Amino acid sequence: DMACHKALCEKFQAKAIQQQEAAQALGGGQQMEAIQSTESSYGSTCSSQGRTNSLMKESRDDRMLLVEVVVHAADLSAQGMIKRVAYVFGRNVLTEFHLQYLKEHDIGCQLSAFMKDLHLPLGQAKAQISFIDFVLIPLFSILRDCFPSLGEPARRMEERMAEIDFDQ
């Protein structure tokens, strides 16, 4: 859900800003013991201009934020799986979205525009490329800095961009 994704992103960004302000108040010289990651540009709501974000293990809020981000990333991680799994999972999600779009149409509620034409190969390809490019790659670029073992799934996500066939 994009609202959830945006909320987590904004929360992570707010944490970075809060820490930068705290560091400036302390003269900028003190470093907290923490899990650290350098954020990169992350859409219009999460551009961090290269600030370093630190999560303090002693902070319950920081631990909860880390759990939320990790669970959210796991929920979105199918495109980082091996090709066969990524494609089956992706097609199933797109089929589910298409059926939801049809149901929205049938009951007369507002249509989710991004779900339109997901039964067509071109619509599927556009949706997958947008999802990978605007959601997955920025998210996993940040997480890969904290968790180097995510390098392989992040690389696979980037490969998916070149593999997507607009005619299938």
Side-chain angles (χ1 to χ4, degrees), residues 21-87:
E21 290 170 352
Q24 287 172 347
L26 293 171
Q30 294 187 348
Q31 188 79 17
M32 297 180 257
E33 180 183 322
I35 298 170
Q36 297 185 348
S37 68
T38 301
E39 291 184 56
S40 60
S41 177
Y42 195 50
S44 60
T45 61
C46 294
S47 176
S48 66
Q49 293 80 37
R51 282 189 216 106
T52 298
N53 187 28
S54 299
L55 299 175
M56 296 180 60
K57 63 184 176 183
E58 296 81 13
S59 166
R60 182 184 186 287
D61 289 343
D62 284 2
R63 291 192 313 269
M64 291 304 297
L65 175 59
L66 181 61
V67 168
E68 287 180 58
V69 170
V70 169
V71 169
H72 183 63
D75 184 43
L76 300 177
S77 67
Q79 293 306 309
M81 304 292 176
I82 62 171
K83 187 177 183 176
R84 184 180 77 254
V85 172
Y87 274 77

Side-chain angles (χ1 to χ4, degrees), residues 104-161:
E104 290 171 352
H105 181 270
D106 290 347
I107 63 175
C109 67
Q110 184 175 353
L111 301 175
S112 301
F114 79 93
M115 294 184 188
K116 184 178 181 183
D117 296 331
L118 292 182
H119 63 295
L120 302 172
L122 182 60
Q124 293 172 355
K126 286 180 178 179
Q128 285 295 81
I129 286 176
S130 294
F131 178 64
I132 293 168
D133 195 32
F134 296 111
V135 175
L136 294 181
I137 290 175
L139 175 63
F140 277 81
S141 292
I142 293 168
L143 292 175
R144 177 175 41 201
D145 291 341
C146 276
F147 307 102
S149 62
L150 290 177
E152 184 65 18
R155 185 191 59 73
R156 286 190 196 123
M157 290 173 189
E158 292 168 359
E159 286 177 356
R160 293 290 102 75
M161 297 287 286

Side-chain angles (χ1 to χ4, degrees), residues 17-28:
I17 291 169
Q18 178 186 26
Q19 289 175 345
Q20 183 182 34
E21 290 170 352
Q24 287 172 347
L26 293 171

